[in-house]
Amino acid sequence: MLNFTDVTEFVLLGLTSRKELQVLLFIVFLLVYIVTMVGNIGMMILIKVSPQLSSPMYFFLSHLSFIDVWFSSNVTPKMLENLLSKTKTISYAGCLVQCFFFIALVHVEIFILSVMAFDRYMAIGKPLLYGSKMSRVVCIRLISFPYVYGFLTSLAATLWTYGLYFCGKTEINHFYCADPPLIKMACAGTFVKEYTMLFLAGINFTYSLIVVIISYLFILIAILRMRSAEGRRKAFSTCGSHLTAVGIFYGTLIFMYLRRPTEESVEQGKMVAVFYTTVIPMLNPMIYSLRNKDVKEAMDKVISRKFLRK
């Protein structure tokens, strides 16, 4: 029996073994990765340089873009490398690091989405108190919690991954080091890891989702009390982008992590994982910009200033 620390490397089986598809997938995911980087980094720069995007909503959105950059960068470069490589390996240390950052960034993102829901409630439900209640100090405290809690949770989860034992088999049926295929591959030490994964995922996803649901219940009540049709339309428009992002992200993660690891669930999980590791980070800037008048106007002003200078 091999202890995890005795394993020098793992083989990532990836999405497919067909070489002609691997080249096509490399091109597709490279383009997706480039669009993701440009979109999220562009969003962060736009929020930084635009005075009209100085509200707490955009402060939190800039952090969501920051996390999406790292979320995608934690998985995609290695996946691209293995699509063109013959060996398709990852060192055991690299696997642990990838697990650590993946779990940390997932938890940071779900709680940032919860903070953004609370912020929407304060803006729509208590507009007169919004400026004083959501001060810069309060925003920094709210955004600090996801980072601290996410990385501490990930540290504990990664230590339990370190306790897995392997009996010679080192092929991971995935394109990155994910908990479900690692648990399925291990031959001992899986009980604690499996049930702590389900417990942590269940508790954290449920708690963060409850915050989102309660916030939007109060938002709905506030909107129904509005007498202005224009006010209602603007409120629904503001919340629509965030609800779309929440629905997509939570839906895919629940499908992946709130089921016991089996051959079938691991195989299905690979397809779902493509969506939330590559597609969602690419979509978020589009979701928040295409449906947001302030972002569009800020983008137009930045582009206009650049061309006027020339």
Side-chain angles (χ1 to χ4, degrees):
M1 184 179 294
L2 295 174
N3 185 282
F4 191 86
T5 52
D6 294 327
V7 178
T8 58
E9 63 182 16
F10 292 102
V11 177
L12 295 169
L13 297 182
L15 293 170
T16 179
S17 58
R18 295 173 60 182
K19 290 185 178 180
E20 64 276 14
L21 284 179
Q22 288 176 356
V23 175
L24 177 62
L25 289 173
F26 175 85
I27 296 170
V28 170
F29 287 124
L30 178 61
L31 291 174
V32 169
Y33 184 60
I34 292 171
V35 172
T36 300
M37 293 298 106
V38 171
N40 283 289
I41 293 172
M43 180 66 79
M44 288 189 287
I45 294 171
L46 183 67
I47 291 170
K48 185 73 175 176
V49 301
S50 302
Q52 66 266 46
L53 302 182
S54 58
S55 68
M57 172 184 173
Y58 299 107
F59 171 74
F60 297 131
L61 180 56
S62 68
H63 280 272
L64 183 67
S65 292
F66 175 75
I67 290 300
D68 279 338
V69 166
W70 287 103
F71 195 54
S72 184
S73 297
N74 183 48
V75 173
T76 308
K78 187 63 181 178
M79 178 179 67
L80 291 173
E81 177 191 333
N82 285 343
L83 281 170
L84 297 183
S85 174
K86 292 182 179 180
T87 54
K88 305 183 189 305
T89 58
I90 184 170
S91 67
Y92 92 92
C95 186
L96 277 180
V97 169
Q98 196 174 60
C99 278
F100 172 76
F101 279 105
F102 180 84
I103 297 168
L105 294 170
V106 165
H107 282 87
V108 173
E109 181 142 350
I110 62 172
F111 283 107
I112 285 179
L113 290 172
S114 298
V115 169
M116 291 175 75
F118 175 74
D119 171 68
R120 289 299 80 215
Y121 159 66
M122 292 298 295
I124 295 170
K126 300 181 182 294
L128 298 178
L129 299 174
Y130 183 62
S132 59
K133 294 292 185 182
M134 296 297 289
S135 65
R136 188 72 176 178
V137 174
V138 172
C139 289
I140 291 171
R141 287 175 182 173
L142 284 172
I143 203 65
S144 297
F145 172 76
Y147 285 98
V148 174
Y149 181 77
F151 278 87
L152 287 177
T153 301
S154 180
L155 179 61
T158 307
L159 289 174
W160 284 315
T161 302
Y162 185 81
L164 293 174
Y165 291 83
F166 302 92
C167 302
K169 186 179 179 182
T170 58
E171 291 183 342
I172 300 175
N173 186 20
H174 219 291
F175 60 90
Y176 71 94
C177 282
D179 278 345
L182 280 172
I183 293 169
K184 185 62 185 173
M185 184 178 67
C187 57
T190 59
F191 180 83
V192 173
K193 175 60 184 176
E194 181 177 340
Y195 284 96
T196 51
M197 180 191 76
L198 293 172
F199 176 77
L200 286 174
I203 290 292
N204 291 318
F205 292 171
T206 302
Y207 177 71
S208 57
L209 194 56
I210 285 173
V211 173
V212 173
I213 292 170
I214 291 175
S215 296
Y216 274 101
L217 283 175
F218 282 111
I219 287 170
L220 182 60
I221 293 169
I223 291 173
L224 293 176
R225 287 177 178 172
M226 291 179 181
R227 295 180 181 179
S228 166
E230 178 64 21
R232 289 183 182 181
R233 187 199 63 78
K234 187 175 180 180
F236 277 121
S237 176
T238 303
C239 297
S241 301
H242 181 253
L243 279 173
T244 303
V246 167
I248 294 172
F249 193 70
Y250 275 85
T252 52
L253 284 176
I254 288 170
F255 184 84
M256 178 79 174
Y257 283 96
L258 292 184
R259 301 186 301 165
R260 293 191 64 182
T262 62
E263 289 291 346
E264 183 182 4
S265 69
V266 168
E267 199 63 37
Q268 292 172 348
K270 281 201 295 185
M271 301 301 107
V272 177
V274 169
F275 199 71
Y276 67 73
T277 57
T278 60
V279 178
I280 291 178
M282 178 188 70
L283 289 178
N284 276 342
M286 299 179 189
I287 291 170
Y288 284 101
S289 60
L290 294 177
R291 301 186 62 177
N292 190 301
K293 186 180 177 181
D294 292 336
V295 173
K296 288 180 182 178
E297 289 178 356
M299 198 178 300
D300 289 340
K301 286 181 180 179
V302 169
I303 293 171
S304 298
R305 283 202 305 265
K306 189 171 182 64
F307 280 107
L308 285 172
R309 285 177 183 177
K310 290 183 178 180

